[in-house]
Every structure is written in C-alpha cells, then in structure tokens.
Amino acid sequence: SAVISQKPSRDICQRGTSLTIQCQVDSQVTMMFWYRQQPGQSLTLIATANQGSEATYESGFVIDKFPISRPNLTFSTLTVSNMSPEDSSIYLCSVGTYTEAFFGQGTRLTVV
Amino acid sequence: ILNVEQSPQSLHVQEGDSTNFTCSFPSSNFYALHWYRWETAKSPEALFVMTLNGDEKKKGRISATLNTKEGYSYLYIKGSQPEDSATYLCAFPYNFNKFYFGSGTKLNVKP
C-alpha cells in the first residue's frame, strides 16, 4: 500500500496568480498521476509525472498551464498557473496500477 | 475518451433503507473495475477491485457485482447508515495505470 500526503487541502486564490500543490508518497514509485475534478464533472487525468523526464500530458492539458516537477521517486508538485475561475476544482494526486490505486486527500481550489 | 457513467448522480435515503448504484463502462479492453468511497477532504477509500465477469464482492453491508460482457457494475448498501453518506466513485483503468472515472453518486443518509 501507499500513503500520500497532499497539501494544501484547500485554498482561495486571486485570478492571475499561481498555486503549487505538493504530494509526498511514503514509498518510491515510478509514476505519479495528477487528476482534476471540475464542479459536476468526473475526475479527469491531467498528466503523468515521471522521475527523470518531462511529464506526459493528456489531451487538453498543456505544460505552460500545469507545470509539473518530479525531483525524486517520492515527491511531485503540480502548479496551476495564471489561474481563472474555470480552474476552480479539486486536484488529486495518485499512484498505483490497474489492480490497486492510492490517492492524496485532494486540494480544493477556488479562484476568485 | 472512454465513457464511464454512473447513476444516479445523487441519492437521498432514510437510515435503514437499502440502496444501489450503477456504473457502466466499455466492455472491451477490460482490466478491472474499481469502486471508491470519497468523503470531503479525505482520500478516496478503495472499496472493491472487480476483475472477473460474475464477480461478487462484499465488505460488511456493502457489496458489488460485475458484468464485463454487458459493461456494468452494481454497488449495493444494505441498511444505510448516516456514516455511509459520501460520494461513491467507479473507476475504469486503461493503459495499465491510468483511470477513467465516473462522475460519482452522492449518497446522503438521513437519520
């Protein structure tokens, strides 16, 4: 199993600013995943964070908007840049495979 | 993009009622189907990982069934309690370790 500590748990930010979300895993993992849930929508994969290489982004998500760092096998950050109210969402990090997945507690972001 | 759909979107029941939710998913390229319980400000909690057609799994008052041929899974809660109030998510893995999620069923159990 894996325990993921994610912070901040919530934040209210001004439009145009950036917020960095952190996830710390209690064991070494090759890949970490970042998801977003907009109000009334499903959790959607933003990108896969790989240690030692650039993150892989899903269709509709770009590095300039959601830069990701993965400095080692237990830690990753996701930055939401130049925020607008449409970025108000829950952001969730995850590790695991198709047999077992683990999640952080989520970051509830409100952009005003 | 694969369609993973859950119904209903929300459910309000009285304490002691039994209830069930549905998750539908693509019947091709099936690896597994996950059910999670997600409370606000907490990590989604794994309930079941279903892998075989016809699977039935049970955890206390909660059980789940799986039909991979027709692409659906049911989650049942027997004798709902207020502490069962949460959002129940189903997740369909693809590419080994990425997931498509349903939008969730938000359950509210009134005392």
Side-chain angles (χ1 to χ4, degrees):
Chain A
S1 69
V3 176
I4 305 176
S5 175
Q6 181 174 345
K7 53 185 180 182
S9 58
R10 58 173 56 229
D11 209 339
I12 301 174
C13 299
Q14 297 290 323
R15 68 178 68 202
T17 63
S18 298
L19 176 72
T20 295
I21 303 167
Q22 300 179 1
C23 274
Q24 177 78 49
V25 189
D26 69 346
S27 57
Q28 293 186 340
V29 293
T30 307
M31 296 183 191
M32 293 179 70
F33 303 92
W34 288 97
Y35 289 86
R36 175 179 78 176
Q37 185 183 43
Q38 294 179 298
Q41 305 295 314
S42 305
L43 277 162
T44 301
L45 183 63
I46 297 171
T48 304
N50 308 298
Q51 199 272 330
S53 64
E54 278 200 1
T56 305
Y57 289 83
E58 300 298 307
S59 176
F61 298 97
V62 295
I63 187 170
D64 289 346
K65 178 66 177 176
F66 298 102
I68 285 172
S69 79
R70 185 80 201 276
N72 57 54
L73 290 173
T74 64
F75 187 78
S76 179
T77 67
L78 171 79
T79 298
V80 187
S81 302
N82 188 24
M83 288 184 285
S84 66
E86 292 70 38
D87 295 318
S88 298
S89 300
I90 297 174
Y91 293 85
L92 200 63
C93 60
S94 172
V95 301
T97 70
Y98 74 96
T99 58
E100 198 170 29
F102 305 94
F103 298 88
Q105 302 94 325
T107 296
R108 183 178 292 271
L109 171 63
T110 303
V111 183
V112 297
Chain B
I1 296 179
L2 303 177
N3 264 348
V4 178
E5 296 182 353
Q6 287 187 249
S7 62
Q9 279 191 334
S10 64
L11 205 48
H12 298 264
V13 302
Q14 289 295 134
E15 181 175 355
D17 288 350
S18 293
T19 187
N20 66 84
F21 327 131
T22 304
C23 174
S24 64
F25 53 87
S27 53
S28 59
N29 297 319
F30 181 83
Y31 293 112
L33 193 282
H34 294 226
W35 281 101
Y36 293 92
R37 180 174 180 275
W38 194 11
E39 292 183 74
T40 303
K42 294 186 178 179
S43 305
E45 172 197 354
L47 292 174
F48 303 111
V49 180
M50 320 282 289
T51 55
L52 296 175
N53 185 44
D55 250 0
E56 290 189 31
K57 296 201 172 182
K58 189 174 180 183
K59 193 177 188 177
R61 294 179 290 99
I62 305 177
S63 60
T65 62
L66 179 69
N67 184 322
T68 60
K69 292 183 180 178
E70 296 182 33
Y72 65 83
S73 176
Y74 294 136
L75 187 78
Y76 302 92
I77 301 179
K78 185 177 176 182
S80 302
Q81 300 295 308
E83 56 266 30
D84 295 328
S85 297
T87 296
Y88 292 82
L89 294 174
C90 67
F92 181 80
Y94 71 102
N95 286 358
F96 188 67
N97 49 13
K98 302 178 183 181
F99 289 84
Y100 282 116
F101 285 85
S103 54
T105 293
K106 189 170 185 178
L107 174 66
N108 182 32
V109 183
K110 299 176 187 174

